[in-house]
Amino acid sequence: MPCPHCTIVGHKITFSLDRERIDLIKNHFTQHNFPMDIEEDQLTTHEQGARELVDFLLAMDLATDVTFKINSYDWLPLSDFKDYQDASWVDELLFEPFIQMHFQPIIKSNGEIFAYEMLSRFVDRQGKKIFPDVMFPAAKTRGRTFALDRICRINAVRHVKRLLPNQKGFINFIPTAIYLPEFCLKTTTDLAHALDIDSSRFVFEVVETEQVKDTAHLQSILKYYQDNGFQYALDDVGSGYNTLNFLKELKPPYIKLDLTFVRDVNRDLDKQRIAKEILKMRDQFDAMALAEGVETIEEFNWLKQAGFDLFQGYLFGKPESEPLTTPSIDLTSL
């Protein structure tokens, strides 16, 4: 049973219509030999057929109250179909030659590089940079979040080989981009095992932890990672979404304090309180607490004194196309 979301090509687009409009479109599609699958008040076709269907509905002034969905995504108003078409450029870039890996160090309090966060950056066919805040929204509009998340994960796993032998790779993934773990993650985990790298060096990091709604689904993903010998981290942890209860349920080996609560933590009592709550939770299930987005020495000193284990941010290094050749960062130069 292949995952319908991980495939890079081959959209199925379904339209919700009343029976009268379906009969009109059925007749039109039959004349033009477009594929269609009709089930009650829904008509499914491929992308070319969908474009023809939308053009037909608009020309005949029959587009009112029509919705559509791509594969198994959510239903959208027909007015969003143009955005879907306009984002088609993203389809041809969902291959590794257009993804470049960048590395941002994660250090211990003494400056030793514990790990790197593996960050994907993108280029188009002319080599022009496409920033993540453009690439990921376009992929979402196009119905390609699943494919983009998958190819980024696979690329990151390969590049862990470039790290020093004692260093870990933190690899992002989007929980909603995982349909069924045993299908969607099999290629990722098989590749990690095939590289002959100890599984404990891979830390799969939940992106946008605060926005996770289906805890049971996330638990099934994390269990799959654990069963295959990998570790995991919760990203962007702060005070939202009932954080403490969420952490109790998932018991992550790594907890990343969101940069919102790191910024100026040395002089903000509310942020200090949240940081200390995270540390208390860490102690309950023997995790490691990581502060991300550290930009000043004052923030670093407060977090270190408070008891955080790991640190990440521009103070120690920006994402670069190559990992550092040295095993540590000289903190005296900060």
Side-chain angles (χ1 to χ4, degrees):
M1 178 183 170
C3 172
H5 301 300
C6 292
T7 181
I8 291 177
V9 295
H11 284 180
K12 291 196 305 181
I13 304 174
T14 302
F15 294 84
S16 178
L17 305 148
D18 58 54
R19 196 69 226 182
E20 184 177 352
R21 279 181 281 195
I22 284 181
D23 289 340
L24 284 171
I25 294 164
K26 180 179 178 181
N27 182 55
H28 182 72
F29 268 38
T30 300
Q31 291 178 13
H32 292 82
N33 201 30
F34 284 114
M36 59 182 160
D37 180 21
I38 298 172
E39 185 174 343
E40 296 182 354
D41 61 347
Q42 297 179 10
L43 185 151
T44 300
T45 185
H46 58 23
E47 184 166 355
Q48 185 181 355
R51 290 176 178 176
E52 180 72 13
L53 185 152
V54 173
D55 288 343
F56 177 80
L57 290 175
L58 292 173
M60 300 296 291
D61 196 23
L62 295 171
T64 305
D65 296 328
V66 176
T67 58
F68 76 101
K69 67 177 180 179
I70 307 155
N71 294 334
S72 298
Y73 284 78
D74 294 334
W75 290 99
L76 300 170
L78 196 66
S79 57
D80 284 1
F81 190 79
K82 185 179 184 301
D83 292 338
Y84 165 75
Q85 286 183 281
D86 290 346
S88 61
W89 58 267
V90 82
D91 289 358
E92 67 177 26
L93 303 183
L94 294 177
F95 300 92
E96 289 194 45
F98 304 105
I99 300 175
Q100 300 174 347
M101 188 54 54
H102 281 59
F103 306 81
Q104 186 173 28
I106 296 170
I107 69 165
K108 295 181 179 180
S109 59
N110 63 359
E112 178 187 345
I113 299 174
F114 177 81
Y116 285 88
E117 182 167 3
M118 321 291 283
L119 298 164
S120 295
R121 298 293 181 260
F122 311 93
V123 294
D124 61 18
R125 289 190 178 276
Q126 288 71 47
K128 183 180 178 181
K129 290 182 180 178
I130 305 174
F131 291 99
D133 61 353
V134 173
M135 189 73 174
F136 278 94
K140 183 177 181 179
T141 298
R142 186 66 184 167
R144 287 296 190 242
T145 300
F146 297 88
L148 181 58
D149 182 74
R150 177 178 178 271
I151 200 69
C152 288
R153 265 185 285 116
I154 290 171
N155 197 40
V157 166
R158 287 198 178 100
H159 284 280
V160 171
K161 271 282 190 184
R162 297 169 61 186
L163 306 183
L164 296 179
N166 64 326
Q167 294 172 343
K168 299 178 186 291
F170 279 60
I171 300 172
N172 294 325
F173 76 95
I174 303 171
T176 53
I178 310 299
Y179 176 58
L180 291 173
E182 58 268 34
F183 297 110
C184 297
L185 299 178
K186 189 176 189 304
T187 303
T188 305
T189 54
D190 285 353
L191 174 61
H193 289 308
L195 289 171
D196 195 27
I197 300 174
D198 190 280
S199 297
S200 65
R201 292 183 60 198
F202 295 93
V203 181
F204 288 95
E205 182 175 326
V206 180
V207 175
E208 299 178 340
T209 298
E210 297 292 343
Q211 298 182 26
V212 172
K213 298 296 186 291
D214 190 346
T215 306
H217 178 57
L218 178 56
Q219 284 178 315
S220 71
I221 296 171
L222 300 181
K223 183 178 186 303
Y224 182 87
Y225 278 132
Q226 282 184 308
D227 290 347
N228 280 273
F230 305 111
Q231 296 183 308
Y232 59 92
L234 295 188
D235 189 18
D236 300 332
V237 174
S239 62
Y241 193 54
N242 198 11
T243 295
L244 298 185
N245 287 334
F246 193 58
L247 291 175
K248 286 178 182 177
E249 281 190 72
L250 299 178
K251 296 181 174 58
Y254 299 92
I255 307 169
K256 294 186 75 171
L257 178 65
D258 181 55
L259 60 85
T260 302
F261 303 100
V262 170
R263 188 67 60 249
D264 297 323
V265 67
N266 53 294
R267 56 185 182 182
D268 189 313
L269 294 179
D270 287 336
K271 293 179 181 180
Q272 291 175 12
R273 176 183 56 78
I274 292 168
K276 290 176 180 177
E277 287 177 354
I278 297 301
L279 291 174
K280 289 178 183 177
M281 191 62 61
R282 169 206 63 184
D283 294 339
Q284 289 186 25
F285 44 85
D286 196 27
M288 297 187 78
L290 194 167
E292 63 177 340
V294 181
E295 292 190 355
T296 69
I297 192 67
E298 291 79 14
E299 292 167 353
F300 173 55
N301 286 336
W302 188 92
L303 291 160
K304 180 171 63 173
Q305 185 175 10
F308 274 77
D309 308 287
L310 302 170
F311 310 86
Q312 178 183 359
Y314 284 0
L315 181 64
F316 317 110
K318 296 182 178 180
E320 300 289 350
S321 58
E322 296 289 337
L324 297 172
T325 57
T326 56
S328 63
I329 292 173
D330 182 7
L331 298 180
T332 63
S333 64
L334 299 179

